Amino acid sequence: MIRRENPARVSEIVGSVAQTPAAEVDAVVRAAGADFRRWAATPIDERLALLSRGADAIEAALGELSVLLSRETGKVLGDCRGEIGFAVRYLRWVVDHAPPAYADREVDDGLGRLIRQHKPYGVVAAITPWNAPVILAMLKIAPALAAGNAVVVKPSPLAPLTLDRVVALIGGPLRVVHGGAATGAALVGHDLVRKVAFTGGAAGGRAVAALAGDRLTPAVLELGGNDPAVFLDDAPFDDAAMDRLVMATFATSGQVCMAAKRLYVPAARLPDFVDAYLAAAARVLVTGDPLADGVTMGPVISAEARRAAEALRAGDCRDLGRFDAEPEAGYFVRPALVVSPDPRDPLVAAEQFAPIVPVLGYQDEDAVLAAANEGELGLGASVWSADEDRAVAFARRFEAGFAFVNTHNRTGMSLRAPFGGVKRSGWGREYAGEGLAEYAQTCVIHAPAVYRPGAGIPAGGPDAYPV
Ligand code: NAD
């Protein structure tokens, strides 16, 4: 049994789910394999109708699901409502966009008909992290089911409850297994799994990629980030910008893949920046019970996460915002800005996934760009300037899947401009049109084949060649 405590009030057990031992994963995947044969033969309209009904059911339960999500993760209630509401909108977006994305395309190239057909893979294994469990699972579940795959999802044992409910509300060829790395590995390594979709940290990603690679199973990996936010020398430290920046770091207690995790400021402006940042935190950052009105930051997810966060509070460490939490009741960490740490310090060099953020002074733009582009993750980055064109020119030089101007992680997943960036560490893409394409394989039918061996090469070169 996996029992989940409320990270804001650890004496309170929010709920429990039955753990799926690795030995039982086989039966679940076999059942999913049987689902798959029926589901792949089901017309796309019927498949999408299941997703529409799922969206309606989740929306109807949004209030209750949001409270459950807040209680199991420690995320503030408004963010939980936002996450689940976005998952509903994403489901509906897939319903609208899947038919053209998965439609056949036929051309006659003069040598014959070419028909490009989209086919599901089979059973998709979806392995998801705890920090946004509903939307991150939905980015896999919705397109995978729309394309005709069956899905087995394995949530993080740190946040299994809301996703378990959401899976039941969608139904159809969607199953869930619960457990940690061993359950995940049994799923990824199963013979009937034909596509792996993983979101999580680098260590889990490496293990999953190795297992999938060994079986030649295609995989999508969405990994972590150590996003830099670079202030150019003309960037204003006005209240609105600084408020945005503070929440871009401390939403979900800094446990967001695309949070602003390292701040870079011209060295001469560092003291002014620190003053402005502390003032912004005093305006917008309130640590406390995530279900309480006015609280903008809850606890971290676990005792281990709290220990790791506390270890990062070193050097010139400035406490931030108002701390209204009872520190002993839950896994609360005082949010902090660490001024001018050593760039080799783990707080700067690795993803902290905690409410402690470093700020470093820099001398020139080329040097700060090189520092910003360091690391294996390359998920997101932001640049701040009074001159948007200058900022966009700088943003073009980031090595990251998403680059933001004068904000951070506010528009990365906009359904109005749905593009999915490719991260340096990413394998495959999720989200938007590219994310739909990930869950279907293409088969090209050639009819008729007209290549005649020995017929000679036409003037200007061949238009076809058997490779
Ligand atoms: P994690 O890697 O510890 O766990 C993610 C999932 O993988 C969990 O379900 C876990 O049980 C499973 N898992 C771990 N090791 C495994 C193994 N060897 N075999 C199979 N399954 C395994 O990550 P987490 O702590 O849940 O989430 C935090 C990380 O996820 C951060 O690094 C964060 O940046 C990243 N993240 C990335 C994105 C993105 O879209 N790029 C979004 C959210 C979070």
Side-chain angles (χ1 to χ4, degrees):
M1 198 58 89
I2 298 172
R3 279 151 52 95
R4 184 63 200 139
E5 76 271 20
N6 180 344
R9 207 170 297 111
V10 293
S11 58
E12 176 187 306
I13 298 300
V14 182
S16 58
V17 288
Q19 170 132 9
T20 318
E24 286 176 19
V25 170
D26 176 59
V28 178
V29 178
R30 285 189 187 285
D35 289 344
F36 165 65
R37 283 187 289 281
R38 286 188 294 274
W39 187 244
T42 302
I44 188 166
D45 290 355
E46 285 178 39
R47 301 201 299 254
L48 297 178
L50 179 107
L51 296 188
S52 289
R53 287 193 300 274
D56 293 347
I58 297 166
E59 189 173 49
L62 194 136
E64 182 198 329
L65 291 172
S66 304
V67 172
L68 180 62
L69 183 60
S70 177
R71 289 175 66 223
E72 73 170 326
T73 60
K75 283 166 54 153
V76 297
L77 185 59
D79 288 352
C80 294
R81 290 186 68 85
E83 178 186 337
I84 297 172
F86 189 70
V88 168
R89 291 195 60 213
Y90 183 70
L91 264 169
R92 292 181 177 142
W93 186 91
V94 168
V95 170
D96 289 344
H97 290 77
Y102 297 142
D104 285 358
R105 183 161 165 229
E106 183 168 337
V107 293
D108 189 328
D109 67 352
L111 302 175
R113 290 164 69 206
L114 296 172
I115 304 157
R116 189 186 65 187
Q117 183 195 12
H118 289 86
K119 290 182 169 182
Y121 283 91
V123 178
V124 172
I127 308 237
T128 56
W130 68 265
N131 68 324
V134 176
I135 182 60
L136 294 171
M138 204 59 74
L139 292 176
K140 305 172 188 341
I141 291 169
L145 292 181
N149 302 280
V151 178
V152 180
V153 59
K154 192 205 78 60
S156 164
L158 294 171
L161 303 176
T162 316
L163 185 53
D164 193 77
R165 292 277 312 281
V166 163
V167 165
L169 289 173
I170 295 175
L174 172 61
R175 291 166 189 271
V176 63
V177 291
H178 288 292
T183 304
L187 179 60
V188 171
H190 196 285
D191 275 351
L192 287 181
V193 165
R194 297 292 151 78
K195 177 101 188 185
V196 172
F198 171 90
T199 301
R206 278 194 180 86
V208 165
L211 259 177
D214 196 44
R215 312 189 69 81
L216 295 181
T217 309
V220 189
L221 300 183
E222 287 284 347
L223 303 180
N226 189 16
D227 288 14
V230 176
F231 279 71
L232 299 184
D233 55 15
D234 64 346
F237 301 152
D238 61 274
D239 290 1
M242 298 308 281
D243 291 357
R244 278 202 301 283
L245 178 68
V246 166
M247 287 322 297
T249 289
F250 294 100
T252 313
S253 308
Q255 303 163 116
V256 172
C257 58
M258 251 194 282
K261 293 185 178 132
R262 316 174 259 160
L263 315 178
Y264 292 95
V265 178
R269 304 185 67 205
L270 189 55
D272 289 346
F273 177 87
V274 171
D275 289 347
Y277 197 83
L278 263 63
R283 282 191 297 273
V284 297
L285 191 58
V286 180
T287 305
D289 179 347
L291 289 172
D293 281 348
V295 166
T296 55
M297 194 186 105
V300 295
I301 189 68
S302 63
E304 190 188 335
R306 180 171 60 183
R307 270 193 299 279
E310 295 295 354
L312 297 170
R313 290 177 53 95
D316 183 359
C317 182
R318 318 279 180 97
D319 288 339
L320 296 171
R322 205 171 81 219
F323 195 76
D324 276 354
E326 277 180 62
E328 296 318 313
Y331 305 131
F332 289 99
V333 174
R334 275 178 200 276
L337 177 73
V338 177
V339 182
S340 301
D342 186 317
R344 291 162 302 182
D345 192 299
L347 177 62
V348 183
E351 178 186 35
Q352 67 273 52
F353 222 56
I356 316 290
V357 68
V359 60
L360 297 102
Y362 71 83
Q363 297 299 338
D364 70 80
E365 277 187 21
D366 285 342
V368 75
L369 184 72
N373 284 339
E374 255 171 40
E376 64 179 2
L377 296 171
L379 185 60
S382 65
V383 55
W384 304 63
S385 167
D387 177 345
E388 189 174 307
D389 289 341
R390 183 180 171 205
V392 169
F394 191 93
R396 287 180 184 281
R397 299 166 70 200
F398 278 134
E399 293 173 15
F402 293 90
F404 305 101
V405 168
N406 292 330
T407 189
H408 198 110
N409 193 19
R410 276 293 178 258
T411 55
M413 295 240 266
S414 160
L415 288 175
R416 293 183 202 149
F419 308 119
V422 177
K423 288 56 97 177
R424 186 188 295 172
S425 61
W427 283 19
R429 299 184 209 197
E430 276 196 340
Y431 187 63
E434 296 96 333
L436 291 173
E438 276 294 340
Y439 292 93
Q441 32 189 349
T442 49
C443 167
V444 181
I445 301 169
H446 294 245
V450 296
Y451 178 76
R452 292 188 304 278
I457 297 173
D463 291 324
Y465 190 80
V467 284

